[in-house]
Amino acid sequence: QVQLVNSGGGVVQPGTSLRLSCAASGFAFNNYPMHWVRQAPGKGLEWVAVISYDGNLKLYADSVTGRFTLSRDNSKNTLYLRMDSLRPEDTAVYYCARDLSGGGAHDLWGQGSLVTVTS
Amino acid sequence: QSVLTQPASVSASPGQSITISCTGTDSDIGGYNYVSWYQQDPGKAPKLIIYNVSDRPSGVSNRFSGSKSGATASLTISGLQAEDEADYYCSSYTSSYIYVFGPGTKVTVL
């Protein structure tokens, strides 16, 4: 079955860290760039980051640059998002998404992981 | 705050057609043919319905179509159905090597 499964969300305090995972199955994970997209409660979608198929290129939104780190392990078909120095405004559902064509067309999405940053 | 603009809401009766606009600049929509559109039901992950301005993924109804003129992209839904009621987001690649989403448009079927 072609799918992405998010895990690793939770409730954390400001300034702390959290790592999200995204396990891929049913397709050639190492052929696709992968993205993270987040959605704050009741708000719209916000693009967070993208990693190339081989992990050599990583790009981030200004809002997370320097705090979030994207990585992937193609041997484990898994994508990771390391989030440091978390802020209340990082509270959101985080989705991993596959890039169909290399132009940001997210054709396969995980179910999302809720991250709540609160004191 | 999004660099792309969309109408907050659009409504129409079943069977009618609607068009949702997504306006950017020459640094995003106007400069690249990497515009995508997503449909999102409440509590669900978004679904890709248009990519590369006007391509439809396999399995998406041909009632959905996309186009672009200058820095404005458009999503047209023809033969509106009750199941089309959802939030719709546009997205574009940008000259800053990042991607942006529009603020979303809520479509209501009257």
Side-chain angles (χ1 to χ4, degrees), chain A residues 104 106, chain B residues 4 34-38 89-93 99-102:
Chain A
H106 310 116
Chain B
L4 305 180
Y34 291 133
V35 178
S36 302
W37 288 90
Y38 301 87
Y89 295 89
C90 60
S91 175
S92 177
Y93 178 69
Y99 300 83
V100 290
F101 283 95

Side-chain angles (χ1 to χ4, degrees), chain A residues 1 3 11-12 21 23 26 30 32 41 47 62-63 84 86 99 102 104 107 118:
Chain A
Q1 183 179 1
Q3 65 177 359
V11 180
V12 296
S21 299
N30 59 359
Y32 293 88
W47 178 81
D62 290 345
S63 58
D84 296 318
L86 282 162
D99 191 324
D107 70 321
T118 180

